[in-house]
Amino acid sequence: MSSVAHAPSSYVPRLLLQRLAERPPLVAPEGRRAPGVLLLSDIQGFTALVERFTSAGRDGLEELTWILNGYFADLVEVVHAHGGDVLSIAGDAFLCYWPVAGDDIRDAILRAAQCGQAIQERLHDRPAGRDHRFGTRIGVGSGDLVTAFVGGVGARWELVATGAALRSAIAAEQRAAAGQVVIAPAAWTTIAHSCVGVTGADGFGVLAAVREPVGVRAIAEPAPRESDDVLRPFLPPAVLDRLLLPRAEWLAESRRVTVLMASLPPLADAGATALGEAHDGVRAFQEVVERCEGTTKVDVDDKGILLLAVFGMPPRAHEDDAERAAYAAQQLRESLATLGIATGMGIATGRAICGAFGSDRRRDYMVRGEVINLAA
């Protein structure tokens, strides 16, 4: 058993830490639109890897915890060293962000490209136990980026991101093979003369090397806070439960859970109307899942804002979690309908690996397994 305490700040991005250091705690939804560069990385065959280790029992979970902690910690170290910020971790996918200083988007794109190359050199094809290796795909995109804090139920605010930067990073990652860094057309046009690579017919560039690298500049640490209490509303209940214990067991566990998935339209911009719609939708989701005693997580993908509710997570586990999920789905559909939002939903029950992975630089509480894919 490990008695090492987890730093609450490791569960949130630097963007949020900076926001909380500069202004009072969130009491209303906030949105911001600005140029940005995103890097999206994805581990090939991650679900199969999780399933294989989970089937090996406690020994398999211990080995998987050690492997993933090492991979996550090294990836985050590379991102931070290149001036990036890990916005979100969705199991095997890392969404990383580089702000644009002034009008110099080229500098931010080159830093992200160099970071992608460094990640591949350090982590691609790393052994992940016997007969399995980490194959990492990376996409880089640039453009306007909308970031917003929405929700607020129980003072829990969710960070969502959307915009051209996200769409292009997703498109680039989807075109990447394991071991490759693919740059979206607008970003590739900006830096191609400083790089070695192949330009495809669709304008996407496959990076081979950065010929004119920019100096590595580590991410700036946010101003210190008086207390970590301000971060607690952003932490998963399972994490809060362990943080409050003097000796917390952080090892991953295999649990039978029920997963509910739904989605909201992407955030169109940072204007009051779009921000209000996203806020109302996420808030409705939080309220319903809270009533049914599940846990919530909000992510983004190429289709919009992804709502993920898990029933059966510590410290909220019940014998009737599947029934609670079905009831929550019905209530959520009705709540969203009153907001004029129609969405499909998926529910699945099965075993998943649950646990905190990473390091004190950045970590996340992850729920992963075939049950997630089935619900999706």
Side-chain angles (χ1 to χ4, degrees):
M1 175 169 27
S2 171
S3 60
V4 178
H6 280 192
S9 60
S10 66
Y11 287 92
V12 298
R14 291 294 198 275
L15 184 147
L16 173 59
L17 293 177
Q18 193 65 49
R19 158 62 186 81
L20 294 174
E22 293 172 349
R23 300 193 297 282
L26 287 154
V27 295
E30 294 181 4
R32 177 176 179 268
R33 185 187 192 100
V37 177
L38 292 179
L39 179 152
L40 179 63
S41 75
D42 181 72
I43 302 173
Q44 196 170 41
F46 185 75
T47 299
L49 173 71
V50 169
E51 292 290 329
R52 182 164 67 82
F53 277 98
T54 301
S55 66
R58 176 56 64 183
D59 289 343
L61 288 174
E62 289 178 356
E63 185 177 0
L64 180 62
T65 300
W66 181 79
I67 291 170
L68 289 183
N69 280 341
Y71 181 95
F72 285 17
D74 285 350
L75 187 147
V76 171
E77 181 181 337
V78 172
V79 172
H80 282 195
H82 286 80
D85 179 13
V86 180
L87 278 188
S88 67
I89 305 172
D92 55 339
F94 287 73
L95 183 64
C96 310
Y97 165 63
W98 279 260
V100 175
D103 296 326
D104 192 7
I105 196 168
R106 174 182 176 275
D107 181 85
I109 297 172
L110 278 174
R111 291 185 188 282
Q114 288 174 209
C115 178
Q117 191 176 34
I119 290 172
Q120 294 293 24
E121 291 172 355
R122 185 164 178 173
L123 297 175
H124 174 65
D125 217 25
R126 170 183 286 193
R130 187 176 59 185
D131 303 325
H132 197 104
R133 307 184 82 82
F134 283 122
T136 303
R137 303 189 305 262
I138 292 176
V140 175
S142 63
D144 281 351
L145 178 68
V146 177
T147 54
F149 295 101
V150 294
V153 173
R156 180 171 179 81
W157 296 91
E158 298 283 358
L159 171 63
V160 297
T162 189
L166 178 62
R167 292 191 296 271
S168 60
I170 290 173
E173 186 275 325
Q174 290 174 341
R175 286 167 172 78
Q180 288 184 336
V181 178
V182 174
I183 316 292
W188 182 240
T189 298
T190 303
I191 66 168
H193 65 282
S194 302
C195 301
V196 178
V198 177
T199 305
D202 53 4
F204 287 81
V206 180
L207 180 68
V210 177
R211 190 169 52 229
E212 300 175 7
V214 295
V216 173
R217 182 177 61 204
I219 188 170
E221 292 293 330
R225 298 173 311 282
E226 295 180 1
S227 169
D228 279 329
D229 289 344
V230 71
L231 296 177
R232 294 190 181 276
F234 298 92
L235 306 182
V239 171
L240 282 172
D241 186 52
R242 285 164 168 79
L243 287 175
L244 294 173
L245 297 176
R247 290 181 60 85
E249 173 61 82
W250 289 101
L251 188 65
E253 58 183 335
S254 176
R255 299 180 68 91
R256 183 174 175 84
V257 298
T258 297
V259 176
L260 162 63
M261 272 196 181
S263 62
L264 300 175
L267 192 64
D269 53 51
T273 299
L275 182 62
E277 291 173 352
H279 171 65
D280 290 343
V282 170
R283 188 173 181 84
F285 169 66
Q286 290 179 324
E287 288 174 342
V288 166
V289 176
E290 180 65 25
R291 286 199 301 269
C292 297
E293 297 189 351
T295 60
T296 61
K297 184 172 177 60
V298 178
D299 287 316
V300 292
D301 61 14
D302 57 333
K303 300 178 182 62
I305 301 172
L306 183 64
L307 308 176
L308 174 66
V310 183
F311 297 82
M313 294 269 287
R316 298 177 169 184
H318 316 83
E319 291 185 0
D320 61 345
D321 279 318
E323 182 178 350
R324 288 170 183 263
Y327 178 75
Q330 180 185 27
Q331 295 297 303
L332 179 59
R333 180 177 59 183
E334 294 174 359
S335 295
L336 293 179
T338 64
L339 299 172
I341 301 172
T343 183
M345 301 184 195
I347 302 174
T349 297
R351 299 205 72 82
I353 183 173
C354 310
F357 298 93
S359 69
D360 266 353
R361 281 185 177 271
R362 190 73 164 89
R363 58 166 56 90
D364 194 27
Y365 191 88
M366 184 178 72
V367 180
R368 271 298 177 268
E370 187 57 36
V371 65
I372 300 290
N373 295 342
L374 186 57

